């Protein structure tokens, strides 16, 4: 008979349960280091992206996409450092790119696909 209050919930623990992450029992420090780095990257990107979102340069979906892409790029960089100047520059370039694609209606992607595979947009069905 186990009391429910004595068993911590999975989401309430600071470290993940070892039965869910088998490699954690050997190298738990590595997982926590990666998690800490990712949390720091998220905070830096949020600080850098906040002015663009407040000025309505980007919408909520673009905010989420830029946050996800920037954090992934920062966490998988070779140096492993989180430089606020570089993070703000990365976010600025992502915002410029999203604004450009929104202004041009993403038609460039469709034209590139058409150039690559003309049968996709052909009005006459191909003969088999």
């Amino acid at each position: 008979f186990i009391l429910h209050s004595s068993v911590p919930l999975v989401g309430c623990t600071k470290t993940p349960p070892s039965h869910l992450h088998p490699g954690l029992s050997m190298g738990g420090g590595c997982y926590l280091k990666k998690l800490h780095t990712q949390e720091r990257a998220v905070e830096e990107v949020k600080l850098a992206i906040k002015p663009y979102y407040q000025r309505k340069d980007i919408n909520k979906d673009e905010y989420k996409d830029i946050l996800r892409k920037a954090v992934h790029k920062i966490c998988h960089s070779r140096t492993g450092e989180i430089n606020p100047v570089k993070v703000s520059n990365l976010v600025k370039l992502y915002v410029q790119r999203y604004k450009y694609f929104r202004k041009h209606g993403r038609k460039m992607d469709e034209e590139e696909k058409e150039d690559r595979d003309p049968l996709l947009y052909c009005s006459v069905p191909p003969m088999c």
Side-chain angles (χ1 to χ4, degrees):
F1 178 71
I2 298 174
L3 294 175
H4 290 290
S5 62
S6 65
V7 179
L9 296 173
V10 174
C12 296
T13 58
K14 291 191 177 204
T15 58
S18 59
H19 69 278
L20 294 178
H21 301 281
L24 186 63
S25 58
M26 290 182 276
C30 184
Y31 175 80
L32 291 177
K33 182 180 176 187
K34 287 181 182 180
L35 187 65
H36 181 65
T37 304
Q38 186 176 9
E39 288 174 355
R40 283 182 37 228
V42 167
E43 291 303 316
E44 284 295 328
V45 172
K46 282 183 180 180
L47 283 173
I49 201 171
K50 187 175 180 180
Y52 298 107
Y53 185 68
Q54 287 178 337
R55 283 189 307 229
K56 299 195 189 288
D57 288 342
I58 56 172
N59 60 27
K60 189 175 182 179
D61 291 330
E62 292 168 341
Y63 176 94
K64 290 179 191 177
D65 286 343
I66 292 171
L67 180 69
R68 184 172 29 84
K69 289 179 182 180
V71 168
H72 180 78
K73 193 161 191 153
I74 292 166
C75 290
H76 289 89
S77 66
R78 290 182 187 163
T79 60
E81 67 174 347
I82 300 174
N83 186 346
V85 176
K86 290 182 179 182
V87 170
S88 63
N89 191 30
L90 176 69
V91 168
K92 183 179 85 169
L93 293 173
Y94 269 127
V95 170
Q96 287 177 352
R97 186 169 185 225
Y98 273 75
K99 284 171 69 174
Y100 175 84
F101 280 121
R102 191 181 339 121
K103 181 179 177 183
H104 290 86
R106 299 193 186 266
K107 292 182 180 177
M108 293 172 41
D109 291 340
E110 294 172 4
E111 290 173 7
E112 288 176 6
K113 288 178 185 174
E114 189 173 297
D115 291 341
R116 280 188 236 138
D117 193 1
L119 293 178
L120 283 175
Y121 298 97
C122 186
S123 59
V124 179
M127 300 185 94
C128 295

